[in-house]
Amino acid sequence: MAPWDFGNCSVFVQFTRGRRVEKGNHRYCSAIPLGELFQIGSRRSPVRTRCGPRQGGRIMKVITTATAFILGSAAFAHAADKVTFQMDWLPGGDKAAIFVCLERGFCEKAGLELSLETGRGSSESLTKLATGSSDIGNADIGALMAARVTEKLPVTAVMSYYNEGPHAFFTLKGNGIESFADVKGKDVVTSPFTSSNVYLPLVLHDNDLTMDDITLTKSDPGALNPMLVTGRTDAVISWITDVTRYSQQAQDAGREMIVLPWADAGLVMYSGAIVASDKFLEERPDVARRFVGALLESVEYMRANPDDAAKAVTDAVPELDHATALGSLQDALGLIFNDVTERDGLGAFDPVRLKATWERVAAAQGMDLDALDPEDIVDRSFMPGN
Protein backbone atom coordinates (compact mmCIF):
# COMPACT_ATOMS: atom_id res chain seq x y z
CA MET A 1 0.00 0.00 0.00
CA ALA A 2 0.94 3.64 -0.01
CA PRO A 3 3.50 4.91 2.55
CA TRP A 4 2.25 4.17 6.04
CA ASP A 5 1.84 7.27 8.16
CA PHE A 6 -1.18 6.57 10.32
CA GLY A 7 0.96 7.05 13.45
CA ASN A 8 1.17 4.48 16.21
CA CYS A 9 -0.24 1.54 14.29
CA SER A 10 1.27 -1.94 14.26
CA VAL A 11 1.98 -4.01 11.18
CA PHE A 12 0.90 -7.62 10.98
CA VAL A 13 1.12 -9.84 7.92
CA GLN A 14 0.39 -13.53 8.03
CA PHE A 15 0.39 -16.17 5.27
CA THR A 16 -0.12 -19.89 5.38
CA ARG A 17 3.31 -20.08 3.75
CA GLY A 18 6.33 -17.83 4.08
CA ARG A 19 8.84 -17.13 6.78
CA ARG A 20 7.76 -14.45 9.20
CA VAL A 21 10.32 -11.75 9.96
CA GLU A 22 10.07 -9.80 13.19
CA LYS A 23 11.68 -6.40 13.79
CA GLY A 24 10.81 -4.69 17.04
CA ASN A 25 7.05 -4.70 17.40
CA HIS A 26 6.54 -4.91 13.62
CA ARG A 27 6.02 -8.40 12.25
CA TYR A 28 6.27 -9.26 8.56
CA CYS A 29 6.04 -12.25 6.29
CA SER A 30 8.95 -12.63 3.88
CA ALA A 31 8.19 -12.03 0.23
CA ILE A 32 6.21 -14.63 -1.69
CA PRO A 33 6.39 -14.41 -5.50
CA LEU A 34 3.02 -13.57 -7.00
CA GLY A 35 3.09 -16.75 -9.05
CA GLU A 36 3.42 -18.82 -5.89
CA LEU A 37 0.60 -16.87 -4.30
CA PHE A 38 -1.69 -17.91 -7.13
CA GLN A 39 -0.83 -21.54 -6.37
CA ILE A 40 -2.04 -21.34 -2.78
CA GLY A 41 -5.40 -22.36 -4.21
CA SER A 42 -8.07 -23.25 -1.70
CA ARG A 43 -5.84 -23.01 1.34
CA ARG A 44 -7.05 -20.46 3.81
CA SER A 45 -4.37 -17.81 3.50
CA PRO A 46 -5.68 -14.54 4.91
CA VAL A 47 -3.25 -11.70 5.21
CA ARG A 48 -4.01 -9.05 7.73
CA THR A 49 -1.79 -5.99 7.94
CA ARG A 50 -2.08 -3.15 10.39
CA CYS A 51 -0.72 0.13 9.18
CA GLY A 52 2.93 0.80 9.87
CA PRO A 53 6.22 1.60 8.12
CA ARG A 54 7.76 -0.67 5.51
CA GLN A 55 11.06 -2.26 6.43
CA GLY A 56 13.94 -3.11 4.10
CA GLY A 57 13.94 -6.04 1.70
CA ARG A 58 11.14 -7.40 -0.45
CA ILE A 59 8.26 -7.26 1.97
CA MET A 60 4.97 -8.45 0.49
CA LYS A 61 2.05 -6.80 2.22
CA VAL A 62 -0.79 -8.25 0.21
CA ILE A 63 -3.90 -7.64 2.21
CA THR A 64 -4.12 -4.82 4.67
CA THR A 65 -5.95 -4.17 7.86
CA ALA A 66 -5.99 -0.52 8.85
CA THR A 67 -6.94 0.40 12.38
CA ALA A 68 -8.49 3.81 12.19
CA PHE A 69 -9.50 6.18 14.96
CA ILE A 70 -11.05 9.59 14.63
CA LEU A 71 -9.24 11.71 17.19
CA GLY A 72 -11.22 14.42 18.86
CA SER A 73 -14.55 13.19 17.51
CA ALA A 74 -17.12 12.32 20.12
CA ALA A 75 -18.96 10.14 17.62
CA PHE A 76 -15.96 7.82 17.18
CA ALA A 77 -14.12 8.24 20.47
CA HIS A 78 -14.49 4.48 21.04
CA ALA A 79 -12.51 1.82 19.18
CA ALA A 80 -13.17 1.53 15.47
CA ASP A 81 -15.75 -1.03 14.36
CA LYS A 82 -14.22 -4.19 12.94
CA VAL A 83 -15.36 -5.32 9.47
CA THR A 84 -14.01 -8.16 7.33
CA PHE A 85 -14.15 -7.51 3.58
CA GLN A 86 -14.08 -10.53 1.28
CA MET A 87 -12.52 -10.01 -2.14
CA ASP A 88 -13.56 -12.34 -4.92
CA TRP A 89 -10.02 -12.60 -6.27
CA LEU A 90 -6.43 -11.54 -5.65
CA PRO A 91 -5.17 -7.95 -5.43
CA GLY A 92 -4.91 -5.95 -8.65
CA GLY A 93 -5.67 -2.60 -10.15
CA ASP A 94 -9.33 -3.49 -10.54
CA LYS A 95 -9.49 -3.86 -6.73
CA ALA A 96 -7.90 -0.47 -6.06
CA ALA A 97 -10.95 1.13 -4.44
CA ILE A 98 -10.77 -1.00 -1.30
CA PHE A 99 -7.06 -0.22 -0.91
CA VAL A 100 -7.82 3.47 -1.34
CA CYS A 101 -10.46 3.18 1.38
CA LEU A 102 -7.77 1.94 3.75
CA GLU A 103 -4.85 4.05 2.59
CA ARG A 104 -6.36 7.46 2.06
CA GLY A 105 -8.32 7.81 5.26
CA PHE A 106 -11.85 6.98 4.09
CA CYS A 107 -12.11 3.98 6.41
CA GLU A 108 -10.55 6.05 9.16
CA LYS A 109 -13.11 8.80 8.69
CA ALA A 110 -15.90 6.21 8.86
CA GLY A 111 -14.57 4.78 12.13
CA LEU A 112 -13.77 1.36 10.66
CA GLU A 113 -11.07 -1.21 11.26
CA LEU A 114 -11.15 -3.21 8.05
CA SER A 115 -9.65 -6.64 7.41
CA LEU A 116 -9.41 -7.94 3.84
CA GLU A 117 -9.28 -11.50 2.63
CA THR A 118 -8.48 -12.76 -0.84
CA GLY A 119 -10.77 -15.13 -2.71
CA ARG A 120 -10.83 -17.50 -5.64
CA GLY A 121 -14.04 -16.49 -7.36
CA SER A 122 -17.58 -15.38 -6.54
CA SER A 123 -18.65 -18.78 -5.23
CA GLU A 124 -15.98 -18.74 -2.53
CA SER A 125 -16.70 -15.11 -1.70
CA LEU A 126 -20.42 -15.79 -1.28
CA THR A 127 -19.79 -18.91 0.79
CA LYS A 128 -17.55 -17.06 3.23
CA LEU A 129 -20.14 -14.32 3.60
CA ALA A 130 -22.96 -16.80 4.10
CA THR A 131 -21.05 -18.70 6.77
CA GLY A 132 -20.03 -15.57 8.63
CA SER A 133 -16.30 -15.80 7.90
CA SER A 134 -16.57 -12.34 6.33
CA ASP A 135 -19.04 -9.50 6.70
CA ILE A 136 -19.15 -7.74 3.34
CA GLY A 137 -17.34 -8.11 0.04
CA ASN A 138 -17.65 -8.25 -3.70
CA ALA A 139 -19.07 -10.94 -5.97
CA ASP A 140 -20.88 -11.36 -9.26
CA ILE A 141 -24.55 -10.55 -8.80
CA GLY A 142 -25.48 -13.33 -11.20
CA ALA A 143 -23.77 -15.82 -8.92
CA LEU A 144 -25.73 -14.40 -5.98
CA MET A 145 -29.01 -14.74 -7.87
CA ALA A 146 -28.30 -18.36 -8.75
CA ALA A 147 -27.22 -19.15 -5.18
CA ARG A 148 -30.41 -17.63 -3.78
CA VAL A 149 -32.44 -19.98 -5.96
CA THR A 150 -30.43 -23.14 -5.33
CA GLU A 151 -29.24 -22.62 -1.74
CA LYS A 152 -31.34 -19.80 -0.24
CA LEU A 153 -28.02 -18.10 0.51
CA PRO A 154 -28.31 -15.47 3.31
CA VAL A 155 -26.39 -12.81 1.38
CA THR A 156 -27.74 -9.53 -0.04
CA ALA A 157 -26.40 -7.01 -2.56
CA VAL A 158 -26.18 -3.49 -1.15
CA MET A 159 -24.41 -1.62 -3.97
CA SER A 160 -23.78 -2.05 -7.67
CA TYR A 161 -20.11 -1.93 -8.65
CA TYR A 162 -19.81 -3.04 -12.27
CA ASN A 163 -23.05 -2.00 -13.93
CA GLU A 164 -21.95 -3.59 -17.20
CA GLY A 165 -20.66 -7.07 -17.86
CA PRO A 166 -16.86 -7.34 -18.21
CA HIS A 167 -16.92 -10.17 -20.77
CA ALA A 168 -15.29 -9.76 -24.19
CA PHE A 169 -13.66 -11.45 -27.16
CA PHE A 170 -10.02 -10.50 -27.65
CA THR A 171 -8.43 -11.00 -31.04
CA LEU A 172 -5.64 -9.54 -33.18
CA LYS A 173 -5.81 -7.41 -36.28
CA GLY A 174 -5.31 -9.71 -39.22
CA ASN A 175 -7.12 -12.67 -37.65
CA GLY A 176 -10.24 -11.97 -39.67
CA ILE A 177 -12.41 -10.93 -36.73
CA GLU A 178 -13.59 -7.35 -36.94
CA SER A 179 -17.14 -7.84 -35.62
CA PHE A 180 -19.07 -10.29 -33.49
CA ALA A 181 -20.36 -12.15 -36.54
CA ASP A 182 -16.78 -12.83 -37.62
CA VAL A 183 -16.16 -15.31 -34.80
CA LYS A 184 -18.11 -17.87 -36.79
CA GLY A 185 -15.82 -20.71 -37.78
CA LYS A 186 -12.99 -19.48 -35.57
CA ASP A 187 -10.97 -21.11 -32.80
CA VAL A 188 -11.67 -19.56 -29.41
CA VAL A 189 -9.91 -20.26 -26.10
CA THR A 190 -11.36 -19.57 -22.65
CA SER A 191 -10.39 -20.34 -19.07
CA PRO A 192 -12.23 -23.21 -17.37
CA PHE A 193 -13.99 -21.38 -14.55
CA THR A 194 -14.78 -17.88 -15.83
CA SER A 195 -18.40 -16.77 -15.56
CA SER A 196 -18.09 -15.67 -19.19
CA ASN A 197 -18.61 -19.30 -20.18
CA VAL A 198 -22.09 -19.23 -18.67
CA TYR A 199 -23.16 -16.29 -20.83
CA LEU A 200 -21.38 -17.29 -24.04
CA PRO A 201 -24.33 -19.25 -25.52
CA LEU A 202 -26.65 -16.29 -24.85
CA VAL A 203 -24.49 -13.64 -26.47
CA LEU A 204 -23.86 -15.91 -29.46
CA HIS A 205 -27.62 -16.45 -29.82
CA ASP A 206 -28.19 -12.68 -29.67
CA ASN A 207 -25.94 -12.43 -32.71
CA ASP A 208 -27.51 -15.30 -34.68
CA LEU A 209 -24.75 -17.76 -33.77
CA THR A 210 -24.59 -20.99 -31.79
CA MET A 211 -21.90 -22.85 -29.87
CA ASP A 212 -21.48 -25.08 -32.92
CA ASP A 213 -20.30 -22.05 -34.89
CA ILE A 214 -17.04 -21.81 -32.93
CA THR A 215 -14.40 -24.28 -31.81
CA LEU A 216 -14.07 -23.67 -28.09
CA THR A 217 -11.20 -25.00 -26.00
CA LYS A 218 -10.20 -24.29 -22.41
CA SER A 219 -6.81 -23.41 -21.02
CA ASP A 220 -5.17 -21.92 -17.96
CA PRO A 221 -5.99 -18.18 -17.57
CA GLY A 222 -2.32 -17.24 -17.78
CA ALA A 223 -1.99 -18.99 -21.13
CA LEU A 224 -4.80 -17.19 -22.96
CA ASN A 225 -3.03 -14.13 -24.30
CA PRO A 226 0.25 -15.94 -25.05
CA MET A 227 -1.76 -18.42 -27.13
CA LEU A 228 -3.40 -15.53 -28.97
CA VAL A 229 -0.20 -13.60 -29.58
CA THR A 230 1.67 -16.68 -30.80
CA GLY A 231 -1.07 -17.62 -33.26
CA ARG A 232 -2.35 -20.75 -31.52
CA THR A 233 -5.91 -19.44 -31.48
CA ASP A 234 -7.98 -16.87 -33.36
CA ALA A 235 -9.54 -15.30 -30.28
CA VAL A 236 -9.76 -15.63 -26.51
CA ILE A 237 -12.46 -14.83 -23.98
CA SER A 238 -11.40 -12.56 -21.13
CA TRP A 239 -12.52 -9.50 -19.16
CA ILE A 240 -12.38 -5.83 -20.02
CA THR A 241 -10.08 -5.37 -17.02
CA ASP A 242 -7.37 -7.14 -19.07
CA VAL A 243 -7.44 -4.75 -22.04
CA THR A 244 -4.31 -2.76 -21.18
CA ARG A 245 -2.22 -5.79 -20.23
CA TYR A 246 -3.27 -7.82 -23.27
CA SER A 247 -2.82 -4.88 -25.62
CA GLN A 248 0.69 -4.20 -24.33
CA GLN A 249 1.67 -7.84 -24.79
CA ALA A 250 0.32 -7.76 -28.34
CA GLN A 251 2.18 -4.52 -29.05
CA ASP A 252 5.40 -6.06 -27.73
CA ALA A 253 4.90 -8.81 -30.31
CA GLY A 254 4.26 -6.29 -33.09
CA ARG A 255 0.51 -6.96 -33.22
CA GLU A 256 -2.61 -4.87 -32.64
CA MET A 257 -5.32 -6.00 -30.23
CA ILE A 258 -9.03 -5.86 -31.09
CA VAL A 259 -11.56 -6.05 -28.24
CA LEU A 260 -15.22 -6.92 -28.78
CA PRO A 261 -17.17 -6.28 -25.53
CA TRP A 262 -20.20 -8.47 -25.09
CA ALA A 263 -22.06 -5.51 -23.57
CA ASP A 264 -21.96 -3.95 -27.05
CA ALA A 265 -23.37 -7.15 -28.54
CA GLY A 266 -26.55 -7.34 -26.48
CA LEU A 267 -25.48 -8.69 -23.08
CA VAL A 268 -27.11 -5.99 -20.92
CA MET A 269 -26.72 -6.76 -17.22
CA TYR A 270 -25.16 -5.90 -13.88
CA SER A 271 -22.11 -7.94 -12.94
CA GLY A 272 -19.88 -7.10 -9.95
CA ALA A 273 -21.66 -5.98 -6.79
CA ILE A 274 -20.96 -5.23 -3.15
CA VAL A 275 -22.69 -7.98 -1.19
CA ALA A 276 -23.03 -8.61 2.53
CA SER A 277 -23.98 -11.27 5.03
CA ASP A 278 -27.60 -10.89 6.07
CA LYS A 279 -26.50 -11.35 9.68
CA PHE A 280 -24.07 -8.45 9.36
CA LEU A 281 -26.75 -6.21 7.86
CA GLU A 282 -29.29 -7.13 10.53
CA GLU A 283 -26.99 -6.88 13.54
CA ARG A 284 -24.79 -3.91 12.51
CA PRO A 285 -26.71 -1.81 9.97
CA ASP A 286 -24.98 1.44 10.95
CA VAL A 287 -21.55 -0.10 10.35
CA ALA A 288 -22.71 -1.37 6.97
CA ARG A 289 -23.95 2.09 5.99
CA ARG A 290 -20.69 3.71 7.03
CA PHE A 291 -18.71 1.19 5.03
CA VAL A 292 -20.79 1.69 1.88
CA GLY A 293 -20.41 5.44 2.21
CA ALA A 294 -16.65 5.16 2.66
CA LEU A 295 -16.33 2.84 -0.33
CA LEU A 296 -18.31 5.19 -2.56
CA GLU A 297 -15.96 8.03 -1.59
CA SER A 298 -13.02 5.75 -2.36
CA VAL A 299 -14.38 4.91 -5.81
CA GLU A 300 -14.76 8.60 -6.60
CA TYR A 301 -11.19 9.21 -5.38
CA MET A 302 -9.96 6.34 -7.54
CA ARG A 303 -11.60 7.91 -10.58
CA ALA A 304 -10.09 11.35 -9.88
CA ASN A 305 -6.64 10.04 -8.86
CA PRO A 306 -6.01 6.79 -10.77
CA ASP A 307 -2.23 6.96 -10.54
CA ASP A 308 -2.27 7.32 -6.76
CA ALA A 309 -4.93 4.63 -6.46
CA ALA A 310 -2.76 2.23 -8.45
CA LYS A 311 0.15 3.12 -6.20
CA ALA A 312 -1.90 2.00 -3.22
CA VAL A 313 -2.07 -1.45 -4.80
CA THR A 314 1.57 -1.73 -5.87
CA ASP A 315 2.86 -0.53 -2.53
CA ALA A 316 0.88 -3.40 -1.00
CA VAL A 317 2.00 -5.94 -3.61
CA PRO A 318 5.45 -4.91 -4.92
CA GLU A 319 5.45 -7.88 -7.31
CA LEU A 320 2.73 -6.12 -9.29
CA ASP A 321 3.93 -3.65 -11.90
CA HIS A 322 2.56 -0.14 -11.41
CA ALA A 323 1.76 0.34 -15.10
CA THR A 324 -0.15 -2.96 -15.17
CA ALA A 325 -2.10 -2.07 -12.04
CA LEU A 326 -2.89 1.37 -13.41
CA GLY A 327 -4.01 -0.12 -16.71
CA SER A 328 -6.31 -2.62 -15.01
CA LEU A 329 -7.73 0.16 -12.85
CA GLN A 330 -8.43 2.37 -15.86
CA ASP A 331 -9.97 -0.56 -17.74
CA ALA A 332 -12.27 -1.21 -14.78
CA LEU A 333 -13.38 2.43 -14.58
CA GLY A 334 -15.40 1.98 -17.76
CA LEU A 335 -17.43 -0.73 -16.05
CA ILE A 336 -18.16 1.57 -13.11
CA PHE A 337 -18.58 4.99 -14.76
CA ASN A 338 -20.58 4.98 -17.99
CA ASP A 339 -23.96 5.92 -19.43
CA VAL A 340 -25.73 3.71 -16.89
CA THR A 341 -23.99 5.57 -14.05
CA GLU A 342 -24.91 8.93 -15.56
CA ARG A 343 -28.55 7.88 -15.70
CA ASP A 344 -28.98 5.99 -12.42
CA GLY A 345 -26.12 7.15 -10.18
CA LEU A 346 -23.03 5.45 -8.79
CA GLY A 347 -23.80 2.21 -7.00
CA ALA A 348 -27.52 2.23 -7.81
CA PHE A 349 -29.65 -0.75 -8.77
CA ASP A 350 -32.21 0.18 -11.41
CA PRO A 351 -35.24 -2.15 -11.19
CA VAL A 352 -35.50 -2.57 -14.96
CA ARG A 353 -31.83 -3.42 -15.41
CA LEU A 354 -31.92 -5.69 -12.36
CA LYS A 355 -34.86 -7.59 -13.85
CA ALA A 356 -33.04 -7.88 -17.19
CA THR A 357 -29.99 -9.23 -15.35
CA TRP A 358 -32.07 -11.95 -13.69
CA GLU A 359 -33.61 -12.86 -17.04
CA ARG A 360 -30.11 -13.36 -18.45
CA VAL A 361 -28.96 -15.35 -15.44
CA ALA A 362 -32.05 -17.54 -15.47
CA ALA A 363 -31.66 -18.27 -19.18
CA ALA A 364 -27.96 -19.03 -18.80
CA GLN A 365 -28.50 -21.30 -15.78
CA GLY A 366 -31.67 -22.97 -17.05
CA MET A 367 -33.73 -21.61 -14.14
CA ASP A 368 -37.41 -20.75 -14.00
CA LEU A 369 -37.96 -16.99 -14.11
CA ASP A 370 -40.54 -17.32 -11.33
CA ALA A 371 -37.96 -18.92 -9.03
CA LEU A 372 -36.71 -15.49 -7.92
CA ASP A 373 -37.89 -11.94 -7.59
CA PRO A 374 -34.63 -10.06 -8.25
CA GLU A 375 -35.71 -7.31 -5.88
CA ASP A 376 -35.39 -9.82 -3.04
CA ILE A 377 -31.61 -10.04 -3.39
CA VAL A 378 -30.90 -6.30 -3.10
CA ASP A 379 -31.30 -3.79 -0.28
CA ARG A 380 -30.89 -0.16 -1.32
CA SER A 381 -31.32 1.23 2.19
CA PHE A 382 -27.56 1.12 2.92
CA MET A 383 -26.75 3.66 0.20
CA PRO A 384 -26.22 7.26 1.36
CA GLY A 385 -29.46 9.21 1.36
CA ASN A 386 -31.67 6.13 1.53
Side-chain angles (χ1 to χ4, degrees):
M1 294 196 161
W4 301 92
D5 38 351
F6 282 91
N8 296 323
C9 300
S10 64
V11 172
F12 172 63
V13 181
Q14 184 176 27
F15 269 94
T16 298
R17 310 184 196 179
R19 180 174 58 85
R20 192 176 69 188
V21 180
E22 296 193 20
K23 297 191 73 173
N25 65 348
H26 301 308
R27 294 182 293 171
Y28 297 94
C29 177
S30 56
I32 299 175
L34 197 58
E36 182 178 341
L37 174 63
F38 271 75
Q39 296 171 10
I40 292 176
S42 61
R43 297 189 184 186
R44 181 175 175 81
S45 305
V47 184
R48 293 186 172 89
T49 309
R50 282 189 168 78
C51 52
R54 285 189 64 189
Q55 302 295 321
R58 295 174 67 239
I59 304 298
M60 185 174 181
K61 304 191 301 281
V62 178
I63 304 298
T64 303
T65 301
T67 303
F69 295 92
I70 303 296
L71 300 177
S73 170
F76 297 110
H78 55 77
D81 292 295
K82 295 182 179 181
V83 176
T84 302
F85 185 88
Q86 179 66 53
M87 295 196 297
D88 63 354
W89 201 247
L90 300 170
D94 57 323
K95 301 291 189 293
I98 194 64
F99 291 105
V100 167
C101 193
L102 292 166
E103 294 281 345
R104 298 300 178 258
F106 297 108
C107 287
E108 178 182 16
K109 183 173 68 173
L112 302 174
E113 179 184 331
L114 199 64
S115 301
L116 283 81
E117 293 200 11
T118 58
R120 297 291 290 185
S122 290
S123 294
E124 180 180 336
S125 180
L126 291 170
T127 297
K128 288 186 175 181
L129 290 166
T131 58
S133 296
S134 299
D135 299 310
I136 194 165
N138 65 291
D140 183 78
I141 197 169
L144 173 59
M145 289 174 168
R148 268 293 184 93
V149 172
T150 60
E151 305 173 42
K152 308 299 181 187
L153 208 70
V155 176
T156 297
V158 294
M159 171 184 154
S160 169
Y161 195 66
Y162 291 166
N163 57 34
E164 288 191 346
H167 321 287
F169 284 126
F170 289 68
T171 188
L172 298 173
K173 188 173 183 179
N175 283 8
I177 304 176
E178 301 287 339
S179 68
F180 219 88
D182 294 334
V183 300
K184 184 174 183 177
K186 301 296 186 180
D187 294 330
V188 180
V189 179
T190 186
S191 59
F193 306 112
T194 176
S195 60
S196 301
N197 297 338
V198 176
Y199 301 110
L200 178 60
L202 298 184
V203 75
L204 289 174
H205 180 268
D206 288 344
N207 291 271
D208 300 319
L209 298 170
T210 69
M211 292 292 290
D212 292 334
D213 288 322
I214 63 173
T215 301
L216 185 68
T217 57
K218 296 179 180 180
S219 185
D220 183 83
L224 298 186
N225 205 40
M227 291 180 69
L228 179 61
V229 171
T230 57
R232 288 179 285 166
T233 184
D234 299 312
V236 299
I237 295 171
S238 193
W239 281 21
I240 294 297
T241 50
D242 290 324
V243 167
T244 297
R245 179 166 60 91
Y246 278 26
S247 297
Q248 184 60 56
Q249 291 173 354
Q251 183 178 332
D252 291 344
R255 303 295 299 274
E256 181 180 340
M257 186 67 67
I258 295 175
V259 183
L260 302 174
W262 294 3
D264 294 345
L267 193 67
V268 176
M269 62 190 306
Y270 290 114
S271 52
I274 303 302
V275 297
S277 158
D278 286 353
K279 181 179 179 181
F280 172 65
L281 297 178
E282 291 166 4
E283 295 182 353
R284 298 196 288 164
D286 177 64
V287 176
R289 288 190 182 92
R290 281 189 273 132
F291 172 79
V292 171
L295 185 62
L296 285 167
E297 290 184 79
S298 303
V299 173
E300 293 283 11
Y301 181 94
M302 178 179 69
R303 182 191 193 185
N305 306 277
D307 190 75
D308 186 56
K311 189 177 186 299
V313 180
T314 56
D315 282 347
V317 192
E319 284 73 11
L320 290 177
D321 174 69
H322 177 80
T324 300
L326 178 59
S328 180
L329 184 161
Q330 291 174 323
D331 294 339
L333 285 176
L335 301 172
I336 303 169
F337 296 97
N338 46 52
D339 291 342
V340 178
T341 318
E342 289 294 322
R343 184 189 68 216
D344 302 329
L346 178 63
F349 284 115
D350 172 64
V352 174
R353 194 175 187 84
L354 188 66
K355 181 174 181 289
T357 299
W358 165 237
E359 290 171 351
R360 287 299 199 176
V361 172
Q365 301 278 8
M367 295 177 172
D368 190 335
L369 271 178
D370 294 332
L372 177 73
D373 180 350
E375 288 293 329
D376 290 342
I377 62 102
V378 302
D379 188 337
R380 300 176 180 85
S381 68
F382 296 93
M383 292 286 290
N386 290 344

